[in-house]
Amino acid sequence: MNLFSYDSMFSRFLYFVADMVTLHFLWLIHSIPIVTIGASTTALYYSCMKRIRTGEGYVTKNFRKSFRENFRQSTIIWLILLVISVVFFCDLRIGMALDGMIGSFMLVSCSIFLIPLLLLSIYIFPVQAKFENPVFENVKNALIMSIRHFPCSLFLIAIYGMLLLLLISFPPLAGLLLCCGAGLVGYLTSNIFIFIFRKYIPDELEKDLEATGEHFE
């Protein structure tokens, strides 16, 4: 097979890299106003999951479609998460500044509530990208999924932790992440979310195979 033919492994890799870079910059540009980070993250996951599931390469079209359709709900979710995170951060700082039992109580209580907040932050935007439900319903489902599929949740946390550790211990990685970081992270974690979501949409795999021209043996 010709190295530069459309179906060659090399060409597919180049298309993959191009899509990851494109998604990375789309996410950055749409996140610049800060308040739109939720909508851009939802669009990132929608595009990544669509590409993985069907091999569809229209990442720019899919990103903009999801950004437009999920803008309102994703922005509400993001602002709520942002406010809660700021409140928790302030409480932690106060708890660290206080001595005695009151300070210890604040630190322990904040640490306990930070766990579900972390899980919600990881799951909510992929869930929003996948399921058309009211905000409260998606928040509830995101928390339930994060607990029900806790091994997957730990794996997701490990991915983020590993990337952070590599970034600290190997600074040249920052150059790669500056070029395609958001797209790469979205792609890596989307594979896990697809695995989880298919447990709630059992016929999705068959539909995806039909869309790509494949079939079950």
Side-chain angles (χ1 to χ4, degrees), residues 1-215:
M1 180 181 291
N2 190 324
L3 182 64
F4 296 99
S5 67
Y6 180 80
D7 291 328
S8 70
M9 291 294 294
F10 182 68
S11 294
R12 289 182 181 181
F13 175 74
L14 290 181
Y15 284 122
F16 168 76
V17 172
D19 285 345
M20 294 306 101
V21 172
T22 300
L23 285 173
H24 171 72
F25 283 102
L26 282 172
W27 182 84
L28 283 179
I29 292 169
H30 287 76
S31 296
I32 288 175
I34 305 300
V35 295
T36 59
I37 289 178
S40 60
T41 304
T42 300
L44 173 69
Y45 275 108
Y46 177 86
S47 302
C48 286
M49 288 190 287
K50 188 88 169 177
R51 191 190 191 285
I52 295 169
R53 286 173 43 231
T54 65
E56 186 175 306
Y58 306 109
V59 293
T60 300
K61 175 184 175 183
N62 288 331
F63 187 98
R64 289 174 176 168
K65 173 179 180 292
S66 177
F67 185 87
R68 182 175 62 254
E69 292 178 352
N70 291 288
F71 181 83
R72 180 177 173 275
Q73 287 195 358
S74 296
T75 301
I76 291 173
I77 292 169
W78 162 245
L79 292 177
I80 291 173
L81 284 176
L82 184 61
V83 170
I84 294 175
S85 298
V86 170
V87 171
F88 269 108
F89 178 77
C90 293
D91 286 346
L92 282 172
R93 292 295 299 270
I94 294 173
M96 292 172 66
L98 293 175
D99 295 325
M101 185 174 295
I102 296 178
S104 299
F105 176 78
M106 288 189 67
L107 289 175
V108 172
S109 59
C110 285
S111 299
I112 292 173
F113 283 106
L114 275 175
I115 295 174
L117 178 62
L118 174 63
L119 293 175
L120 177 62
S121 300
I122 291 174
Y123 274 78
I124 185 57
F125 296 114
V127 169
Q128 177 65 33
K130 186 65 179 178
F131 301 98
E132 296 181 7
N133 293 314
V135 170
F136 177 77
E137 192 72 19
N138 274 339
V139 169
K140 182 186 71 173
N141 290 337
L143 282 171
I144 292 173
M145 288 181 188
S146 68
I147 296 171
R148 182 176 294 172
H149 306 283
F150 196 67
C152 291
S153 300
L154 291 177
F155 191 32
L156 288 164
I157 293 172
I159 290 175
Y160 289 117
M162 181 184 66
L163 288 172
L164 181 60
L165 184 62
L166 285 173
L167 186 60
I168 295 172
S169 59
F170 187 63
L173 180 65
L176 174 64
L177 295 181
L178 283 173
C179 294
C180 63
L184 182 61
V185 173
Y187 184 85
L188 290 174
T189 54
S190 287
N191 283 279
I192 301 172
F193 287 118
I194 289 172
F195 170 77
I196 294 172
F197 295 158
R198 277 179 174 164
K199 296 183 181 298
Y200 303 90
I201 313 175
D203 60 340
E204 182 181 78
L205 177 58
E206 186 174 356
K207 290 180 180 179
D208 290 344
L209 290 173
E210 290 176 356
T212 56
E214 301 180 27
H215 58 84

